[in-house]
Amino acid sequence: MEIIHNREFKKLLKFNGDHSTLVGLRILNNVLKVITLGLYYPWARASVLQYMYGEAEYLETRFVFHGTGKEMFRGFIKALAIFLVLYGFLFFCIFTKQPMMAVVGGIVFYIGILLLVPLAIHGSQRYRLSRTSWRGIHFGYRGDLKEFVKLFIGHGLLSMLTLGIYGPWFRVKMKEYIYGNMRFGNIEFKFTGKGGDLFLIRLKGIFLSIITLGIYSFWFLKELVEFELKNIKIIQDGVEINMRSTLSAGKIFGMVFVNYLIVIFTLGLATGVAINRIMRVAFENIEFDLPINPDKLMQTEDEYKDATGDDLAGMLDIDFA
């Protein structure tokens, strides 16, 4: 592994989102979802993802999201069927009016929902990354579902039994597995964060946010972003590329405050403006100490078009970024 000190960090990412385009897209999607009684949801989701990825660029080249509404509709139907089975069994048990059956129904339902979480995270990573490319090279995720579910349940139970104290170690384990199995062509990734470091950041952040009546929460968020970025490593031909955040608490406060005003005074119609502002600030404040070498990129990943996991993640409101 090449070790280079004192590299100069540079801004290589940019987000070009146009406010009126995203506001119009969101309004149109919402109207169509109402008219179609929700059936347009997969196409709405695909169009927003195509917009978001298409407006993001690295080294002046934009990303492409290749997922389609048709693929996501197939996943949507499968995800909907899973939820219908779980709810159907729960209501069947309740309607028997037998206390024991109601208990069994409740236990099966909640265990089922909990098991869907790792399935959704794994499936979403596999679909999203496989359907994303840059300069024609696709991303990919090589994680194994059984391994991930076992890891998720084991560390998730530890987190529950310790009333959330183990939560930072749980999150770091998930990140290690996901980044360790992420690919961009022949480029590999890894996550080097430590659960103890994240625990201390959270402990200090929660404590100081409480005693400062929320004022410290902007510094808390800044430290969380710094922790995430500095521990993501991009590896090309044995050379490790580092990232860092230049986000300050003041920038976070300004973004959050103005976004609240935008959303409140437009009754939510201009939420797209707030989303674009978040993306611009996020991208402008990520720096790299080296660019990847596009000439050495090689296509290595297979296509994967099953969007069930991504639709499950959307329905469960999971975004394990």
Side-chain angles (χ1 to χ4, degrees):
M1 181 73 64
E2 181 183 352
I3 300 175
I4 298 176
H5 300 288
N6 302 320
R7 290 178 185 163
E8 182 183 352
F9 279 84
K10 297 177 181 176
K11 297 184 192 300
L12 304 176
L13 279 171
K14 186 180 177 186
F15 188 76
N16 304 286
D18 173 71
H19 292 330
S20 60
T21 302
L22 185 55
V23 170
L25 181 64
R26 286 174 55 84
I27 291 174
L28 177 64
N29 282 343
N30 286 332
V31 170
L32 290 174
K33 280 191 284 186
V34 171
I35 292 174
T36 61
L37 303 178
L39 286 176
Y40 189 73
Y41 168 79
W43 283 271
R45 192 170 166 80
S47 65
V48 171
L49 288 171
Q50 287 163 359
Y51 167 86
M52 300 300 285
Y53 283 71
E55 297 299 330
E57 67 175 48
Y58 174 76
L59 286 178
E60 300 182 346
T61 301
R62 298 197 181 199
F63 292 86
V64 178
F65 180 69
H66 301 270
T68 65
K70 188 176 177 181
E71 288 171 6
M72 296 191 125
F73 180 70
R74 291 189 190 123
F76 175 70
I77 294 298
K78 292 179 189 174
L80 193 62
I82 293 170
F83 277 106
L84 286 176
V85 168
L86 283 174
Y87 275 104
F89 183 74
L90 175 65
F91 287 123
F92 168 77
C93 291
I94 291 172
F95 288 141
T96 61
K97 297 182 179 178
Q98 297 179 25
M100 184 55 71
M101 284 297 289
V103 171
V104 170
I107 291 172
V108 170
F109 177 79
Y110 285 110
I111 289 177
I113 293 293
L114 284 175
L115 285 175
L116 286 182
V117 174
L119 293 179
I121 294 172
H122 176 87
S124 178
Q125 293 293 330
R126 200 168 172 204
Y127 177 73
R128 277 284 179 100
L129 289 169
S130 170
R131 305 303 282 144
T132 304
S133 72
W134 182 82
R135 295 197 181 189
I137 303 296
H138 282 254
F139 285 78
Y141 172 69
R142 300 181 180 182
D144 178 78
L145 179 58
K146 286 182 182 177
E147 278 182 9
F148 185 72
V149 170
K150 281 172 63 179
L151 193 69
F152 186 92
I153 291 176
H155 291 278
L157 282 175
L158 272 175
S159 188
M160 288 173 64
L161 291 172
T162 57
L163 302 177
I165 293 173
Y166 186 76
W169 285 269
F170 172 45
R171 183 174 178 81
V172 164
K173 287 291 180 188
M174 297 299 101
K175 292 272 183 183
E176 282 177 356
Y177 188 83
I178 290 172
Y179 278 105
N181 285 287
M182 189 184 293
R183 299 288 184 276
F184 172 46
N186 54 335
I187 288 179
E188 298 181 9
F189 298 80
K190 68 177 179 181
F191 189 78
T192 58
K194 304 295 180 192
D197 294 339
L198 182 56
F199 174 77
L200 290 175
I201 290 171
R202 286 189 179 185
L203 183 66
K204 184 178 77 170
I206 292 169
F207 176 72
L208 291 178
S209 294
I210 291 172
I211 65 172
T212 60
L213 302 177
I215 293 172
Y216 188 78
S217 61
F218 302 105
W219 280 268
F220 181 22
L221 184 55
K222 167 184 167 289
E223 291 188 1
L224 287 175
V225 173
E226 286 174 348
F227 173 80
E228 295 285 336
L229 286 180
K230 79 178 182 183
N231 287 306
I232 297 172
K233 309 297 178 187
I234 303 167
I235 304 158
Q236 184 177 34
D237 292 338
V239 178
E240 195 170 277
I241 299 173
N242 298 299
M243 303 166 67
R244 73 176 183 187
S245 169
T246 57
L247 202 58
S248 67
K251 287 178 184 174
I252 295 173
F253 171 77
M255 180 182 66
V256 171
F257 181 71
V258 174
N259 278 358
Y260 268 122
L261 294 179
I262 290 170
V263 173
I264 290 170
F265 284 103
T266 64
L267 301 178
L269 288 174
T271 299
V273 176
I275 293 171
N276 270 339
R277 292 184 75 250
I278 291 171
M279 295 302 294
R280 285 180 185 175
V281 170
F283 275 52
E284 286 169 0
N285 287 283
I286 296 175
E287 293 185 341
F288 299 80
D289 65 348
L290 273 182
I292 63 168
N293 186 341
D295 297 331
K296 293 186 175 180
L297 278 175
M298 295 172 62
Q299 192 82 271
T300 60
E301 303 307 299
D302 297 326
E303 280 196 319
Y304 181 77
K305 297 183 178 180
D306 187 346
T308 308
D310 200 64
D311 282 298
L312 276 173
M315 291 179 181
L316 292 168
D317 196 23
I318 296 171
D319 187 7
F320 200 83

